[in-house]
Amino acid sequence: MHDAIKKALEVLKGGGVILYPTDTIWGIGCDATNVEAVKRIYSIKKREDSKSMLVLMENPALLDRYVDEVPEVAWDLVEIATTPLTVIYPGAKNLAKNLIAEDGSIGIRFTKEEFTSKLLQRLRRPLVSTSANISGEKSPAFFDEISEEIKNAVDYIVEYRQDDRTPATPSSIIKLGPGGQIDIIRK
C-alpha cells in the first residue's frame, strides 16, 4: 500500500487524476484545489461542470479551511455517523471554483477507509471523489466493472483492493441550510 500512496501522491501533486478505492465505491479523484484537474474529471466523465462533485477529507478539524461557517449540528452529525455520510455545507471556500455548486455549497465526506485516510494525511488537501463511470451510466460496484474508457483516461490506477468484492454502501447525504436546517437527500 505504501508504494500506491507514494505514486498517487506524485500524480495528485502534479495535477493528475487517479482511480482509487474509497469507503464506498471506486472513485475518480484529483486535488480538490486544482481547477484544471477538476476540469479533466468533468471531461473524463463527460459531465457538465454545473453538476458538483463531493470531496473526501480525513480530519474534521480541517473543515474550517474549506467551509465559511460550520453549523454546530454538523459536528454532531460527523461525530455520530457510523456509516459513510456526505454532508453538503453552505459557503465553500479555498477549493477549485468549478467544484463548488452554483449555490456555493460543497459535499464533504470524512473517510475512515485505510488507503484514502493515509493518502489524505499526506496530500493535506481534500480529494475529489466521484464514481468511476461516464455520467449517466451505472456506477461500477467493483474494480472489474470499471470501463476501459475510464481506466485509460486517468493518470494512475491505484493497485490496492482491486480484488475486493465487499458490497459497497453508498453514503447517506444530508444538506445543511441556514440556521442549522437539515435536508435529507439520500438515506
Side-chain angles (χ1 to χ4, degrees):
M1 180 170 46
H2 178 74
D3 289 344
I5 289 172
K6 191 174 167 191
K7 179 66 178 155
L9 267 174
E10 274 174 38
V11 171
L12 293 168
K13 287 183 175 179
V17 173
I18 64 170
L19 181 60
Y20 68 106
T22 75
D23 52 344
T24 56
I25 56 170
W26 273 79
I28 301 172
C30 69
D31 172 350
T33 65
N34 184 320
V35 172
E36 290 305 312
V38 170
K39 201 179 288 184
R40 267 201 55 218
I41 291 181
Y42 284 120
S43 172
I44 289 168
K45 288 185 65 80
K46 299 178 180 166
R47 180 177 179 171
E48 295 170 42
D49 62 9
S50 60
K51 288 191 166 185
S52 59
M53 297 182 285
L54 70 94
V55 299
L56 290 180
M57 294 173 63
E58 57 84 35
N59 187 347
L62 302 174
L63 200 50
D64 288 330
R65 280 190 201 168
Y66 302 102
V67 176
D68 270 338
E69 202 176 304
V70 181
E72 202 55 48
V73 68
W75 301 111
D76 297 332
L77 291 169
V78 169
E79 197 175 303
I80 64 169
T82 55
T83 56
L85 171 67
T86 300
V87 177
I88 301 171
Y89 298 89
K93 64 180 181 181
N94 301 323
L95 294 165
K97 297 280 181 244
N98 52 344
L99 191 56
I100 299 170
E102 286 178 16
D103 67 358
S105 66
I106 186 71
I108 297 174
R109 187 168 78 239
F110 294 100
T111 183
K112 293 177 177 75
E113 190 274 333
E114 186 181 21
F115 176 83
T116 45
S117 288
K118 288 183 174 169
L119 179 62
L120 284 159
Q121 284 167 10
R122 300 209 25 215
L123 181 63
R124 296 159 81 177
R125 293 185 178 160
L127 181 65
V128 170
S129 181
T130 184
S131 57
N133 62 316
I134 304 295
S135 192
E137 292 180 3
K138 183 180 177 286
S139 296
F142 306 106
F143 179 77
D144 60 10
E145 294 176 1
I146 299 168
S147 74
E148 289 306 308
E149 184 177 357
I150 293 286
K151 290 177 184 174
N152 293 330
V154 299
D155 301 306
Y156 176 61
I157 298 172
V158 171
E159 295 175 26
Y160 178 69
R161 286 186 45 212
Q162 290 185 2
D163 298 328
D164 187 352
R165 302 299 288 181
T166 308
T169 308
S171 72
S172 301
I173 303 174
I174 292 175
K175 184 168 187 171
L176 298 180
Q181 174 190 333
I182 298 175
D183 289 322
I184 297 171
I185 310 291
R186 180 171 69 199
K187 283 188 178 183

